[in-house]
Amino acid sequence: GIAAARDVERIVADPELLSLRLDGVDVAALAAEFAAPSVEVEANGEASVRGDATRLRQAIANLVANALRHGTRAVIEVGEEDGLVVVSVTDDGPGIEPGLDPFARGASGTGSTGYGLWLARAIAEAHGGTLELADSPAQGARLRLSLPSSSA
């Protein structure tokens, strides 16, 4: 707990560590790395962004870890919408408590540092994108990471 939080604070305090090495990144291929018995990946077509693959992988990893902490399954969907590459991660857990900001620094579910979603949002914003809570189709929570597409 505390050591992990200190690591995160170091990352956050050091602007060099969040500096990005920009390359063409195939977000669908990144998402596919997370496929597992409890993680389904649905990618529609080309989904390329100019970004830092290591940071984007970390953001997706944080979203998947969050989904599996609250539910038993995660579905990652990758697609393009209106010049954006959108990665949404949906879980089958109880959903986010009304009034709770899951992105607040230190907002923590059980057994987490409370920095995962906050850091994922910081990574999204460093890429000119957003990370927000989206309407979930049924129960559970859906988080939506949107990044400017490099093919737009």
Side-chain angles (χ1 to χ4, degrees):
I2 289 175
R6 287 216 180 98
D7 285 345
V8 172
E9 288 196 350
R10 250 198 313 280
I11 289 170
V12 171
D14 182 352
E16 279 304 294
L17 282 171
L18 253 179
S19 66
L20 304 174
R21 282 205 289 278
L22 297 179
D23 290 301
V25 179
D26 179 346
V27 179
L30 270 190
E33 295 175 17
F34 293 95
S38 57
V39 182
E40 184 183 332
V41 180
E42 299 170 10
N44 309 314
E46 184 72 6
S48 295
V49 301
R50 287 209 41 80
D52 184 314
T54 304
R55 296 278 169 233
L56 292 172
R57 182 180 290 110
Q58 183 180 14
I60 295 171
N62 289 1
L63 297 182
V64 171
N66 178 71
L68 294 177
R69 189 175 305 114
H70 297 288
T72 58
R73 296 186 46 72
V75 178
I76 306 173
E77 295 166 89
V78 183
E80 272 209 70
E81 272 170 48
D82 306 323
L84 295 171
V85 169
V86 177
V87 179
S88 63
V89 178
T90 308
D91 66 51
D92 61 356
I96 306 252
E97 260 172 66
L100 177 75
D101 176 1
F103 305 107
R105 203 162 151 172
S108 168
T110 4
S112 87
T113 60
Y115 281 95
L117 294 182
W118 180 82
L119 191 58
R121 175 177 266 180
I123 291 168
E125 290 175 351
H127 284 81
T130 59
L131 175 61
E132 59 210 356
L133 196 55
D135 288 335
S136 185
Q139 61 165 20
R142 171 178 282 178
L143 293 164
R144 191 182 147 97
L145 171 68
S146 305
L147 302 162
S149 168
S150 60
S151 64

